[in-house]
Amino acid sequence: MSTIAKRDLSCNEEESELRRGPWTLEEDSLLIHYIARHGEGRWNMLAKSAGLKRTGKSCRLRWLNYLKPDIKRGNLTPQEQLLILELHSKWGNRWSKIAQHLPGRTDNEIKNYWRTRVQKQARQLNIESGSKRFIDAVKCFWMPRLLQKMEQSNSPSPHSSMTTMMNLGNSGEASMSSMSSSFNINPSMSSSSSPPQRKFIMDDANHFSTMSNPINPSPDSFQFSQPLEISEHPKSPPNVFENNVCSYPIQDNCYLDTNNYGMEGINMDPLSAMDTYDFSQFDFQTAGNGWMLDSMGDSTLWNMDAM
DNA sequence: AACTGAGTCAACCGCGGCCCC
DNA sequence: AGGGGCCGCGGTTGACTCAGT
């Protein structure tokens, strides 16, 4: 047994009256009032001084993950989900670091989101959640879908946010001329009642954008023309979404149907689904029997609406 | 209505790093 | 230098909820 374990054991024996498990309202109130008067930190001392029969660790966790006033409640927005995916691809399981970029969200919440939602999807796809295949799938399928959600939620009228974005950063033409890859939209998947089709564009610098007509950029073209620069030590959260200007490094030559990307598009005849997606450019498509096709048969691919 | 299995998330645990003595 | 205390992080657990049967 390690020295730490011994210490913990003796500590537990000495302080067997310490409470564990769910916090009561009285305990919450004690903690809140104590921190309001004296501030946070020095958690072991705080726990004793506040009259809480809890470890300092437990107090800290309760405060940071639940009681702190600026904590956001409710589901993660598509913007937040996208940021998590992006930051996780960059930093891995550095939850606290990721949380620094999501104001009001805790590392615990982000960790739970990743384990319950993201890893579930990976399991259903039979891919290891940390693998390159998974990262590719996230970038090529999940992120575009989130972008589409963001786009829809940001633009109650067809022109408003799109027009704004068209005027931000680089000109649309500059991006168009340098584009090297794109997401195709399969006409067979569209319907007359669907929103205008969009094409996701990546330029040479792997910057990500969408547009409804790649040949003649219309005023509603949707440009992410600035690289997503994320500070290792943020003073304030990035405002990429507030400004509607962002870009994502993304695998080249990804094809998807943006109108039918989530479960809406997956809950259909698996054979027609296979026709819809052009997977030929994926390196992970060529291995074995094709994991993606197997997953299609399971109708479990990227259940975005459950996220 | 009762049961069950899956999903969610608050809380706990173990470990490593930092600081102080 | 090294031992102890504290803090923070990431992994894991288990209670609770809810949908499906």
Side-chain angles (χ1 to χ4, degrees):
Chain A
M1 189 184 286
S2 70
T3 55
I4 293 174
K6 283 179 191 167
R7 194 170 67 224
D8 287 349
L9 184 60
S10 65
C11 181
N12 288 340
E13 283 168 355
E14 279 174 24
E15 307 184 51
S16 56
E17 77 276 14
L18 281 178
R19 274 185 50 77
R20 293 177 55 193
W23 280 63
T24 64
L25 281 175
E26 294 96 301
E27 288 177 315
D28 282 347
S29 176
L30 274 174
L31 185 56
I32 289 168
H33 284 107
Y34 186 90
I35 289 176
R37 280 197 300 272
H38 303 98
E40 56 183 277
R42 300 179 63 83
W43 293 104
N44 283 331
M45 196 193 76
L46 182 152
K48 288 193 181 81
S49 303
L52 286 159
K53 290 181 166 48
R54 296 272 183 176
T55 64
K57 258 186 178 183
S58 181
C59 293
R60 174 182 165 273
L61 205 65
R62 182 64 177 172
W63 175 253
L64 293 179
N65 286 343
Y66 198 82
L67 297 175
K68 211 173 175 182
D70 57 0
I71 285 176
K72 260 190 219 166
R73 296 277 153 210
N75 294 336
L76 291 161
T77 64
Q79 289 90 333
E80 288 172 322
Q81 292 177 41
L82 187 55
L83 191 52
I84 291 169
L85 295 175
E86 170 67 24
L87 294 178
H88 188 275
S89 73
K90 187 177 179 184
W91 292 326
N93 296 355
R94 303 286 304 279
W95 307 119
S96 62
K97 196 169 181 175
I98 293 170
Q100 289 173 8
H101 294 274
L102 287 111
R105 302 297 186 180
T106 67
D107 54 353
N108 210 29
E109 189 175 11
I110 293 167
K111 182 170 59 182
N112 281 332
Y113 163 75
W114 189 266
R115 294 185 65 81
T116 58
R117 310 318 210 270
V118 180
Q119 288 196 332
K120 186 184 79 175
Q121 296 290 338
R123 277 196 305 274
Q124 288 173 347
L125 291 170
N126 277 330
I127 42 177
E128 209 173 317
S129 61
S131 66
K132 182 177 183 301
R133 285 198 323 187
F134 180 70
I135 292 168
D136 286 342
V138 163
K139 287 180 177 176
C140 294
F141 293 93
W142 205 330
M143 283 182 169
R145 170 65 172 166
L146 286 170
L147 280 167
Q148 191 192 13
K149 279 196 164 188
M150 286 161 55
E151 185 183 343
Q152 286 168 351
S153 65
N154 283 345
S155 56
S157 69
H159 273 243
S160 55
S161 67
M162 294 301 161
T163 307
T164 305
M165 275 174 271
M166 187 65 183
N167 295 327
L168 288 168
N170 301 334
S171 74
E173 281 191 2
S175 291
M176 299 311 138
S177 62
S178 64
M179 74 173 144
S180 61
S181 54
S182 65
F183 301 96
N184 278 354
I185 300 200
N186 186 330
S188 70
M189 297 296 292
S190 65
S191 70
S192 57
S193 61
S194 300
Q197 294 176 1
R198 304 207 178 280
K199 188 162 190 167
F200 288 83
I201 304 295
M202 283 175 294
D203 61 20
D204 290 337
N206 259 358
H207 293 164
F208 197 21
S209 63
T210 72
M211 60 183 182
S212 55
N213 183 342
I215 305 302
N216 298 306
S218 66
D220 71 345
S221 291
F222 183 60
Q223 296 295 319
F224 296 97
S225 51
Q226 301 294 321
L228 179 56
E229 294 296 342
I230 296 164
S231 163
E232 297 264 330
H233 305 288
K235 290 189 176 70
S236 61
N239 62 350
V240 289
F241 300 118
E242 287 164 16
N243 293 336
N244 292 329
V245 178
C246 61
S247 70
Y248 303 90
I250 193 160
Q251 183 92 1
D252 274 356
N253 301 320
C254 301
Y255 288 76
L256 83 164
D257 185 300
T258 58
N259 288 330
N260 295 280
Y261 171 72
M263 280 303 278
E264 319 85 289
I266 303 304
N267 286 332
M268 57 184 173
D269 176 18
L271 290 176
S272 62
M274 287 160 59
D275 288 341
T276 303
Y277 291 83
D278 179 352
F279 296 119
S280 60
Q281 314 262 359
F282 286 96
D283 56 353
F284 50 76
Q285 266 300 296
T286 58
N289 294 328
W291 61 274
M292 188 67 78
L293 301 187
D294 291 342
S295 300
M296 285 297 188
D298 291 338
S299 297
T300 55
L301 180 65
W302 304 119
N303 184 357
M304 300 299 303
D305 294 332
M307 305 304 291

